[in-house]
Amino acid sequence: MQAVVLSGVGKHYRLGQVDVPALTDIGFEIRAQRFTVLSGPSGSGKTTLLNLIGGIDRPDSGKVLIDGQDLGELDDDALSDFRARRIGFIFQNFNLLPVLTAYENVEYPLLLARTPAAARQERVRELLEAVGLADKARNRPNQLSGGQRQRVAVARALATRPTLVLADEPTANLDSHTGAGIIALMRRIQREQHATFVFSSHDPAVLAEADDAVHIRDGAITAIERRDEVTA
Amino acid sequence: MNLLPLAARNLLRNRRRSATTLFAMIVGAMAILLFGGYARNINLGLQTDFVRHAGHLQIQHRDYFLFGNGNPAAYGLADYRRIIDVVRADPVLRPMLKVATPTLSLGGIAGNYAAGVSRTVIGGGVVVAEQNRMRQWNDYNFPITTKPLHLSGTTPDAVVIGTGVARVLQLCAPLAIRNCPTPHVEPATGDSVPDDIAALAGEARAQRAASDGTTIELLAANAHGAPNVARLKVVAAVPQGVKELDDMIVQMHFAAAQKLVYGGDTPKATAIVLQLAHTDQIPAARVRLEQLLAQHFPGQPLTVLDFATLNSSYGQIVGMFGAIFGFIALLIGVIVLFTVSNTMSMAVVERTVEIGTLRAIGLRRAGIRRLFVIEGALLGLAGSVAGVVVALGAAWLINHGGLSWTPPGNVEPVPLTIRVWGEYTMLLGTLLGLTLVAGISAWWPARRAARLEIVDALRHV
Ligand SMILES: Nc1ncnc2c1ncn2[C@@H]1O[C@H](COP(=O)(O)OP(=O)(O)O)[C@@H](O)[C@H]1O
Ligand SMILES: [Mg+2]
């Protein structure tokens, strides 16, 4: 089953007078309930690609389908609602809301999805438990370490049980030990929750954990590895 | 999601900036309310003054107000007694009516023949006891003590004059008036007048010197245009705030005035002054009065005038303060608009990444807009509530600070009071107005925030 299908996707930026092609004619599929890594050097177009998959940016050409839904057919509000229900984001800089506690940060997407209070509470507890931060529920982000913040962010991304979780270099701002912990956590949760994870990274340690790896360079795919063809 | 606590927390994030904005709003709300309270106090003070002296409504001859000035006697109400009786007996008016009293206006020449001086005066006769009751009116609870008229308890030939009248008539010394100079140049006497009159004047002067020296002659035209003279005893000279009035005013007992103007004819009044319990009863009372007059005195040329019509300066002063108040409110509204707008713009710039994040996890554009508008309105609400509280405190301090001032047209200083507490319309208007302005000023920054592209916002550093 395919979680994401891209076909003929192109994106370019205008930098002053010049056109900078960021992605050219990208077409590939991301399998559901796998851990896929987009791998490539800095400037290769990983972030741009993830933004298109996550529906926070629109391609200049081509199509992005998530669970069969063509994102190009959705208007801004519908796309927002789609993201709220179906996609979880994990950012390089954690991007937690500083005025909300860990608990409230995890709860926020559930509020957007209008989840009833009781279900909300249960889900937030469960997730904070899963990321090992049950005792930090009342802490604000500035009272948490970088690793703890990213764990809250992971919990937040998973709150609405999205079909797709996207993470753009989630370990880039963490030391290697903490980063490895986060990767292990995500790997575990991805399996437990049967979620589809897509990462971008140029960290070999992350690459090693992936089910699938998509190699990208200068805005084009150079190779796709499907490592667990047999064991899935 | 309940945005209010989120907005509140965001405001507490940059305490210093929020505090600065709050401070600007507090100062603004205070300026509006203190000035409004001051203006309100002046308006009510003026109203109280008018109502105490000339009542809320007057029944007059239809043409008296416009044409009667030159010859009040010709516009008298012969039926005034009956009119007053009908008014007092009416069950509809009774609960509203506090005083119904006749007055008689007149113009004439007051002379102090002993000093050989005279001058034109205006004035009238009043029913002293009823006027004293009118002076009790204090529906707005001004911290003033009411003194009875100087005519109270005086003989029927008593008269009270302005200090200016006393000065011109050279009565300052006999009446022991302070700050009342005598002229440097002796008025010409003797040479220019015929001998017999000069002799008469001299005689009168000699007589007066022997007596208490405070009698004046008041010469007035009677209803037929013939002159009539009353000899009146000056019991007091009362300073008036306006010099023109101070130099002209005389007040005497109603009966004495009637005798002077009408002599042996039917005595009349030029106006029936009606004082109500509350000013807002004017429209109802007026309607009823017009019914009564039409019913009981058909065909008589009567009219009912309210105090605002009788005192055109009241409307002018109220209008002037209204205009200044509006100007101040507008100015402060604009300042608040820019202050809050600036604060919210800075917040939007600072929180660009946060905006991108919220949008990425599924908040719609409208949600972002709402977030900032609510934040601005909340800031506005906090600012105006704080401003109202501070203004109430400041007004209390001023009212209890023992300050006093002399309003234009007044003689004696009055306590400086500011009416903020109890002026619910003004308080609520300021509160809602400033909150609304703050919400509106957050609108543009909020709109800008909502229109950000998610990826641009997320990349913002
Ligand atoms: N907003 C932008 N304006 C101009 N060029 C951009 C912008 N975003 C990305 N690019 C360019 O697009 C290319 C791909 O960038 P990006 O997707 O961020 O790569 P990566 O995430 O792999 O580092 C790079 O050449 C980068 O300079
Ligand atoms: Mg990148």
Side-chain angles (χ1 to χ4, degrees):
Chain A
M1 208 192 100
Q2 309 304 336
V4 181
V5 178
L6 295 107
S7 55
V9 169
K11 179 81 184 172
H12 56 89
Y13 295 103
R14 275 206 79 81
L15 239 177
Q17 305 283 346
V18 274
D19 250 1
V20 183
L23 295 174
T24 38
D25 194 26
I26 299 276
F28 72 100
E29 289 153 11
I30 294 172
R31 295 185 299 166
Q33 296 177 26
R34 302 300 156 97
F35 204 90
T36 301
V37 173
L38 302 180
S39 164
S42 189
S44 56
K46 304 184 293 294
T47 298
T48 306
L49 186 53
L50 271 179
N51 290 346
L52 296 177
I53 294 170
I56 57 174
D57 202 358
R58 292 185 188 267
D60 296 324
S61 58
K63 275 187 183 182
V64 180
L65 276 74
I66 311 279
D67 276 347
Q69 169 68 56
D70 183 353
L71 297 189
E73 287 172 354
L74 303 175
D75 68 12
D76 200 80
D77 283 349
L79 194 55
S80 298
D81 297 347
F82 186 85
R83 287 195 304 270
R85 279 179 284 108
R86 310 286 284 277
I87 301 176
F89 286 91
I90 298 167
F91 303 90
Q92 188 176 328
N93 292 314
F94 327 131
N95 290 20
L96 298 177
L97 292 196
V99 295
L100 301 184
T101 63
Y103 184 99
E104 291 163 334
N105 264 290
V106 178
E107 190 185 24
Y108 195 89
L110 295 167
L111 289 163
L112 283 181
R114 302 187 187 287
T115 311
R120 226 160 53 213
Q121 192 182 31
E122 197 190 312
R123 181 69 178 151
V124 176
R125 292 256 161 85
E126 173 188 301
L127 282 165
L128 285 177
E129 195 78 46
V131 299
L133 287 175
D135 58 331
K136 302 281 185 202
R138 302 200 154 278
N139 290 33
R140 294 235 181 141
N142 62 3
Q143 297 164 321
L144 297 171
S145 72
Q148 287 170 335
R149 288 182 209 185
Q150 197 60 307
R151 281 193 273 160
V152 175
V154 170
R156 176 177 70 181
L158 289 157
T160 57
R161 300 180 195 278
T163 32
L164 186 60
V165 177
L166 305 177
D168 191 8
E169 308 204 30
T171 58
N173 280 353
L174 299 171
D175 61 67
S176 61
H177 177 73
T178 314
I182 291 289
I183 296 297
L185 171 76
M186 289 201 275
R187 192 74 176 102
R188 194 189 83 224
I189 287 182
Q190 182 267 325
R191 289 206 172 99
E192 282 170 12
Q193 314 257 338
H194 308 291
T196 308
F197 265 59
V198 184
F199 263 54
S200 78
S201 184
H202 51 243
D203 180 353
V206 175
L207 201 57
E209 281 289 335
D211 295 325
D212 296 353
V214 178
H215 294 276
I216 173 170
R217 177 177 282 275
D218 297 332
I221 290 169
T222 52
I224 298 179
E225 296 175 62
R226 309 240 188 238
R227 293 185 187 159
D228 65 336
E229 218 80 83
V230 209
T231 55
Chain B
M1 156 139 208
N2 192 353
L3 289 170
L4 270 180
L6 190 61
R9 286 193 219 172
N10 276 320
L11 287 174
L12 290 174
R13 211 152 131 186
N14 199 324
R15 278 162 211 268
R16 203 187 137 109
R17 192 170 60 211
S18 295
T20 312
T21 312
L22 278 185
F23 182 72
M25 291 200 62
I26 288 171
V27 171
M30 221 168 82
I32 292 177
L33 290 174
L34 289 187
F35 180 77
Y38 172 73
R40 182 79 179 135
N41 198 60
I42 289 179
N43 293 347
L44 294 181
L46 279 174
Q47 193 195 106
T48 299
D49 198 51
F50 286 139
V51 167
R52 282 166 167 237
H53 286 89
H56 286 102
L57 293 166
Q58 291 192 9
I59 302 170
Q60 296 180 352
H61 185 287
R62 194 180 51 213
D63 295 328
Y64 173 67
F65 183 58
L66 292 179
F67 307 105
N69 218 345
N71 185 9
Y75 295 91
L77 310 172
D79 261 342
Y80 74 93
R81 267 285 133 223
R82 275 217 303 133
I83 297 175
I84 290 176
D85 289 342
V86 165
V87 166
R88 283 186 184 154
D90 184 62
V92 178
L93 285 176
R94 198 182 302 133
M96 304 187 232
L97 192 67
K98 294 210 79 147
V99 181
T101 182
T103 59
L104 176 57
S105 295
L106 56 86
I109 296 170
N112 177 3
Y113 293 123
V117 287
S118 67
R119 66 148 303 134
T120 57
V121 291
I122 54 164
V126 293
V127 179
V128 174
E130 287 166 358
Q131 291 287 332
N132 277 338
R133 275 206 287 130
M134 294 228 304
R135 301 297 191 278
Q136 304 290 329
W137 196 87
N138 194 8
D139 205 25
Y140 303 114
N141 301 311
F142 277 89
I144 38 177
T145 49
T146 313
K147 284 178 254 154
L149 258 61
H150 287 84
L151 281 178
S152 306
T154 55
T155 52
D157 64 343
V159 67
V160 172
I161 60 178
T163 52
V165 178
R167 189 174 60 240
V168 175
L169 295 183
Q170 297 183 19
L171 292 169
C172 291
L175 289 169
I177 305 166
R178 287 185 299 140
N179 303 327
C180 182
T182 46
H184 300 293
V185 184
E186 276 287 307
T189 50
D191 301 346
S192 55
V193 292
D195 287 350
D196 48 348
I197 291 187
L200 209 68
E203 203 176 299
R205 203 177 313 170
Q207 246 179 37
R208 203 61 38 77
S211 72
D212 55 7
T214 54
T215 303
I216 60 168
E217 275 77 29
L218 184 57
L219 175 76
N222 70 11
H224 309 293
N228 197 3
V229 180
R231 172 163 292 186
L232 299 168
K233 205 162 147 332
V234 180
V235 292
V238 179
Q240 309 290 313
V242 182
K243 182 171 185 295
E244 287 72 16
L245 211 57
D246 198 39
D247 286 350
M248 290 196 92
I249 198 86
V250 301
Q251 188 181 51
M252 66 190 96
H253 289 281
F254 186 61
Q258 278 185 324
K259 204 170 129 214
L260 177 62
V261 175
Y262 297 106
D265 293 354
T266 322
K268 299 177 184 176
T270 47
I272 297 162
V273 174
L274 304 173
Q275 192 185 56
L276 307 174
H278 309 293
T279 301
D280 60 11
Q281 293 166 331
I282 287 179
R286 178 189 212 131
V287 168
R288 183 60 187 163
L289 277 171
E290 277 159 1
Q291 283 172 358
L292 286 177
L293 294 179
Q295 187 188 335
H296 295 274
F297 306 93
Q300 291 205 22
L302 299 172
T303 188
V304 180
L305 299 170
D306 62 21
F307 80 94
T309 310
L310 293 166
N311 303 283
S312 57
S313 65
Y314 177 75
Q316 290 163 348
I317 292 170
V318 170
M320 178 187 77
F321 276 113
I324 299 176
F325 179 80
F327 179 70
I328 290 178
L330 185 77
L331 213 66
I332 282 168
V334 170
I335 291 171
V336 166
L337 192 86
F338 280 108
T339 309
V340 173
S341 170
N342 186 46
T343 298
M344 295 315 296
S345 291
M346 293 206 290
V348 167
V349 171
E350 257 172 31
R351 276 153 55 193
T352 302
V353 174
E354 215 173 300
I355 293 163
T357 307
L358 286 171
R359 292 278 287 120
I361 62 181
L363 187 62
R364 292 182 179 191
R365 287 191 197 277
I368 296 288
R369 201 162 47 222
R370 204 154 46 231
L371 188 69
F372 284 97
V373 167
I374 286 180
E375 215 170 299
L378 191 68
L379 186 62
L381 186 68
S384 41
V385 165
V388 164
V389 170
V390 171
L392 284 170
W396 190 90
L397 282 179
I398 291 168
N399 291 343
H400 291 77
L403 301 173
S404 65
W405 71 301
T406 308
N410 263 42
V411 179
E412 285 174 24
V414 298
L416 177 62
T417 45
I418 292 182
R419 276 172 200 267
V420 182
W421 181 251
E423 295 300 321
Y424 300 114
T425 313
M426 180 173 77
L427 286 171
L428 203 69
T430 307
L431 206 74
L432 294 182
L434 286 182
T435 306
L436 191 72
V437 165
I440 291 169
S441 38
W443 174 260
W444 281 103
R447 199 177 103 104
R448 200 149 17 89
R451 288 161 74 114
L452 283 172
E453 289 302 329
I454 302 173
V455 286
D456 294 337
L458 284 172
R459 217 184 354 251
H460 183 91
V461 278

